[in-house]
Amino acid sequence: MVAKESNEPVLLQQQGGVAVITINNPPVNVLAKQVRMAIADCLEEVQDDRLVNAVVICGNGRNLCGGADIREFNTPDRQVKPMTRDLMNLIEACEKPVVAAIHGPTLGGGLELALGCHYRVADPTASMGLPEVHRGVIPGAGGTQRLPRLVGFQTAVEMITGGAPVDAGKALEIGLVDRVADDGDVCGDAVAFAHELIETETGPRRVSELPVDVEPDTGAELVEETRTRLEKSARGMQAPFSCLESVANTLTMSFRDGWTREAEISQAAVASVESRSLVHAFFAERQAAKIPDVPADTTLRPVDRIAILGAGTMGGGIAMSFANAGMSVTLIETDQDSLERGLGRIEANYAATRDRGRLSEDDMAARMARITGAVGIEAVAEADLVIEAVFEEMDVKQAVFRDLDRLAPEGAILATNTSTLDVDAIAAVTSRPEDVLGMHFFSPANVMTLLEVVRAEKTAKDVIATVMALSANVDKTGVVVGVCDGFVGNRMLAPYFRQADFLVEEGAYPQDVDRVVEEFGFRMGPFRVSDLAGLDISWAIEKRRAETRPAEERFSPLLDRICELGRYGQKTGAGWYSYEGRNAVPDPEIEALIRARSDQMGSARRNISDEEILQRCIYSLINEGARILQEGLAIRASDIDVVWLHGYGFPRWRGGPMFYADMVGLDEVVATLDRFHADWGDKWEPAALLRELAEAGSTFKAWDADRAAGA
Ligand code: NAI
């Protein structure tokens, strides 16, 4: 219907008495200023055209409209008239009925545009929603005022504070759309709908003029209930509350007043650190996929047959990740018993999800069917990709890689899931180190979305490109990191945990440290995390590391004491806390142990402020992150942020540790580190890069940008 090669951002066509306005701004038809201006021009033309009796707005390509142009945030382009929110009113004011033809993901400003139309027809595959809350803002183009008038107050509150989209069926059920089109030609169906309107002489139905469907008392109650729920689920964030406030205004204000107030709330949200952080996180994730010396058009190696070695905790979870994404894998063990145990754990895992109603019996069966067990490493003979997840011992891994070198087909990618061992030393035992890399999944691997893609000294570029592409296919966010102890995430975790231990020796209790870190926005503080992971595991690692590290680097003996008592954390009902179910309760026995440890060290316990707790935990991360950057082990600061957002529960609305440092101000961070350095010594010495940037009045973000520009 529309000339696809046209470069105009918006096309205007006439079909009988119906004018069709097509948004043509690939890839996703965002409402950039030239699109807004062109739609306004079309509307004016249509208004004056006596031969036009109805209007359809549709989109070329993937969707109707992708919403506001996120690149215009915090730029003057956002203010160019008509501003997005005025455009929706212009559409609504049209005296001829306007029908939106919705297809593809029609979210945010895209859906607000459809709400400005008088009627809506959706393709069966369309998804519609107002996800602004995920970017730290509110729907600011009338969405908070129109949606409640169209779908009812309660549904609007849920959609706007939660940000989740609905599909076409649901949209029809709640009244968001008037009709679901036949598959394929939503624009044609919308035109047919418009002709029906003309024939039946049905005029515009302006959403802003509809009443809000709720009793005032019920509305106020709903607002209170939602607020209480958000105080738990969105602690520390502002945007969900701002969304709620604006929607709640529909209970007491006229459309016009609510709409004016929406703009004020929206402006404050757009300017907030929370929104900047969330926008940073959004772009950081996209950026992570780009590797400067690996061209985007690198030919990928085929990955059709995947083998996983080791059906333990990680191997099983990794197999599930592939099976969940519709890919088949062979899971290999050394003997039948271990294999059956591993497959049994996977089945039990799926069954638990099924029992919670989150997986159908059929889907469970389909996923299990994608995982084929095999005994003996010879089963790798046809694999394009082998992921090794056997015991964490260098001898064992090297033996496995020697076998892989002998058995795996030429060109196969050989990956290790080691969390602490030297990937170069593993690659070195093969005759094809260019095919070897680390794929560091996080536990539980079927749930956690981070994948550290460890680039070893000789790893080939197409191997990196292939694994990065694959990670997206299994719903993981791949981040390229270099070889070092702990790679990026765990290396930074070490000083963070060290500070947590020091803090309790000096005067805090686990519950103090956890509270401060949780108030900052982490779901769990370091002690609750340790209890959940199992203290026996950290104990084993510490004992092993103690053999190779200088005595003064040993961790606090407190961990020894607690483990000697058989308190291994949540699974034994006691660790740093005692447990009532999953509830961590501070334990006087642990507090006494801690005080005894402080006495033994001869240091008087002191009151440690929340500010100090926070700075020591978070700044230790930042400082280590800066060292990682200066050593070239991460490509960019924003990659480190992505690691922490996806692997460690760093609050997304703070952007990640490095972006948070930018927000605090690097000079401020360095001044505090200098103070800590003077008090506690070398471990706190600010990283050279951090000091350099602070002295230049710069930021990690600017450093990333300079490097991307080749400076
Ligand atoms: P695990 O002990 O649960 O599983 C290891 C499995 O490998 C066992 O089932 C064992 O029978 C099998 N296995 C040993 N040698 C084998 C061989 N030659 N061929 C086939 N199978 C063999 O260990 P887990 O926790 O799954 O760890 C596996 C790897 O993943 C380790 O390198 C570990 O450092 C790494 N990792 C572990 C994480 C965790 O949180 N558990 C997180 C990230 C990485």
Side-chain angles (χ1 to χ4, degrees), residues 53-127:
N53 296 312
V55 182
V56 165
I57 302 184
C58 60
N60 235 349
R62 282 189 228 162
N63 61 351
L64 166 63
C65 171
D69 188 349
I70 200 168
R71 283 165 305 192
E72 285 187 358
F73 278 25
N74 300 315
T75 75
D77 283 351
R78 197 179 156 83
Q79 312 296 331
V80 171
K81 290 198 169 114
M83 284 176 61
T84 307
R85 61 193 330 260
D86 298 323
L87 177 69
M88 313 324 181
N89 290 358
L90 278 182
I91 295 172
E92 196 180 54
C94 184
E95 280 161 23
K96 300 172 183 177
V98 183
V99 184
I102 302 173
H103 79 288
T106 297
L107 307 169
L111 184 62
E112 290 179 297
L113 176 118
L115 289 169
C117 298
H118 305 137
Y119 302 94
R120 283 147 292 278
V121 175
D123 186 84
T125 60
S127 77

Side-chain angles (χ1 to χ4, degrees), residues 430-603:
T430 71
S431 63
R432 36 173 144 168
E434 65 282 1
D435 296 340
V436 178
L437 85 169
M439 284 175 76
H440 186 214
F441 288 85
F442 288 71
S443 181
N446 52 315
V447 176
M448 298 298 289
T449 51
L450 176 64
L451 177 66
E452 284 183 330
V453 176
V454 187
R455 184 175 189 170
E457 198 189 329
K458 296 194 174 137
T459 309
K461 290 180 184 182
D462 64 344
V463 167
I464 293 290
T466 304
V467 169
M468 286 298 279
L470 182 69
S471 72
N473 292 341
V474 289
D475 293 328
K476 305 288 178 212
T477 303
V479 178
V480 174
V481 302
V483 175
C484 64
D485 189 1
F487 310 123
V488 168
N490 285 347
R491 174 167 157 180
M492 288 166 71
L493 197 62
Y496 166 82
F497 273 119
R498 194 160 49 230
Q499 286 310 312
D501 280 338
F502 286 156
L503 284 162
V504 295
E505 286 181 355
E506 288 168 39
Y509 288 108
Q511 57 269 28
D512 302 321
V513 178
D514 282 352
R515 176 183 51 77
V516 169
V517 169
E518 285 161 19
E519 279 171 6
F520 178 78
F522 276 92
R523 196 159 302 146
M524 274 191 246
F527 293 99
R528 289 217 291 143
V529 166
S530 302
D531 273 357
L532 184 66
L535 299 185
D536 49 335
I537 294 183
S538 3
W539 198 29
I541 294 173
E542 284 321 310
K543 281 195 282 198
R544 186 154 51 80
R545 288 200 164 154
E547 289 164 15
T548 55
R549 284 189 177 176
E552 66 275 13
E553 281 199 19
R554 287 223 43 196
F555 265 55
S556 153
L558 269 173
L559 183 65
D560 287 334
R561 298 276 149 71
I562 295 174
C563 287
E564 280 158 14
L565 293 171
R567 300 176 64 123
Y568 292 162
Q570 222 186 85
K571 62 186 166 192
T572 58
W576 288 100
Y577 296 93
S578 4
Y579 285 85
E580 291 165 2
R582 287 182 173 189
N583 229 353
V585 182
D587 188 335
E589 193 180 341
I590 292 295
E591 291 173 7
L593 262 182
I594 290 172
R595 282 192 299 272
R597 166 72 187 152
S598 304
D599 285 350
Q600 183 202 5
M601 290 171 67
S603 60

Side-chain angles (χ1 to χ4, degrees), residues 267-347:
Q267 264 167 24
V270 169
S272 69
V273 169
E274 179 177 318
S275 150
R276 291 175 65 188
S277 305
L278 288 165
V279 171
H280 166 79
F282 175 87
F283 283 115
E285 282 158 357
R286 267 142 199 81
Q287 200 64 24
K290 298 181 190 138
I291 306 126
D293 66 333
V294 179
D297 60 357
T298 301
T299 306
L300 305 183
R301 296 194 187 183
V303 180
D304 298 320
R305 288 156 304 179
I306 300 164
I308 297 165
L309 280 178
T313 313
M314 291 308 288
I318 296 167
M320 289 171 78
S321 294
F322 284 99
N324 295 350
M327 296 164 94
S328 297
V329 295
T330 306
L331 189 56
I332 304 171
E333 264 291 346
T334 45
D335 58 88
Q336 192 64 32
D337 279 358
S338 308
L339 179 62
E340 274 164 25
R341 258 200 316 275
L343 289 171
R345 264 196 306 264
I346 293 175
E347 188 158 11

